[in-house]
Structures are given as structure tokens and as C-alpha cells.
Amino acid sequence: MGKAGKALKQVLKSYGITQNRLAVVMQVGRSNVHRWVYEVADPVGDAILEIRKGLNKINPAAAEEFIRLYLDESEEDEEQS
């Protein structure tokens, strides 16, 4: 669990974006973003797209980084070795 959460946490920290700001832009409760960031719950497929859209409105580079980190398979490759 938590690949999206790890990616989101890293992007928020790297780009100085607060959980609250992302929640407001996405029009979701901050508690949802908190659960994703701390890997309490994984965002479903549609939420991944909404996270990307929200990040894109704040900082397009952050949105690109989120998707890059989320889709990066090197972590999974290491676990399977």
C-alpha cells in the first residue's frame, strides 16, 4: 500500500504545497489528502487523476513529478529481486 501516497508526500514537500491547499483546489476534505499522504488509504484510480489535475493547477511541474514517481517501477523491481 502507499505508492501514490509516497509520491504525493514527496511532491508536496519538494514543491512546498500544503495538504490543505491541494484539498481546496481539489474540492475535497483535507482529511482525504492526509490519509493519502500518510498511507492510511490509497487513492482510487479516479482520485489519482484528480490529484494530478489539482497539482497541475498549483504547479504543473509538481503534477509531472507526481505521475513520474507514481509510475516509476524501479522500486517494485528492487522488491522483486
Side-chain angles (χ1 to χ4, degrees), residues 63-77:
E64 287 181 25
E65 180 75 1
F66 170 70
I67 294 300
R68 187 189 66 75
L69 291 169
Y70 177 66
L71 295 178
D72 183 22
E73 296 178 3
S74 62
E75 188 176 300
E76 290 175 4
D77 293 341

Side-chain angles (χ1 to χ4, degrees), residues 1-2 33 35-37 43 50-51 53 60 63 66-67 69 74 80:
M1 180 189 277
V33 177
R35 284 192 289 268
W36 299 330
V37 167
E50 292 303 316
I51 291 168
K53 286 179 187 176
F66 170 70
I67 294 300
L69 291 169
S74 62
Q80 293 175 359

Side-chain angles (χ1 to χ4, degrees), residues 7-81:
L8 182 57
K9 185 175 190 175
Q10 185 172 334
V11 167
L12 293 181
K13 183 178 180 181
S14 295
Y15 289 87
I17 300 168
T18 64
Q19 292 178 31
N20 190 60
R21 182 160 183 217
L22 180 59
V24 168
V25 169
M26 290 180 63
Q27 299 180 340
V28 299
R30 193 190 68 77
S31 60
N32 288 339
V33 177
H34 177 85
R35 284 192 289 268
W36 299 330
V37 167
Y38 289 97
E39 302 174 43
V40 175
D42 278 333
V44 294
D46 288 346
I48 297 290
L49 296 175
E50 292 303 316
I51 291 168
R52 184 187 61 79
K53 286 179 187 176
L55 288 170
N56 196 53
K57 289 178 183 177
I58 298 167
N59 184 330
E64 287 181 25
E65 180 75 1
F66 170 70
I67 294 300
R68 187 189 66 75
L69 291 169
Y70 177 66
L71 295 178
D72 183 22
E73 296 178 3
S74 62
E75 188 176 300
E76 290 175 4
D77 293 341
E78 289 173 11
E79 291 174 6
Q80 293 175 359
S81 297

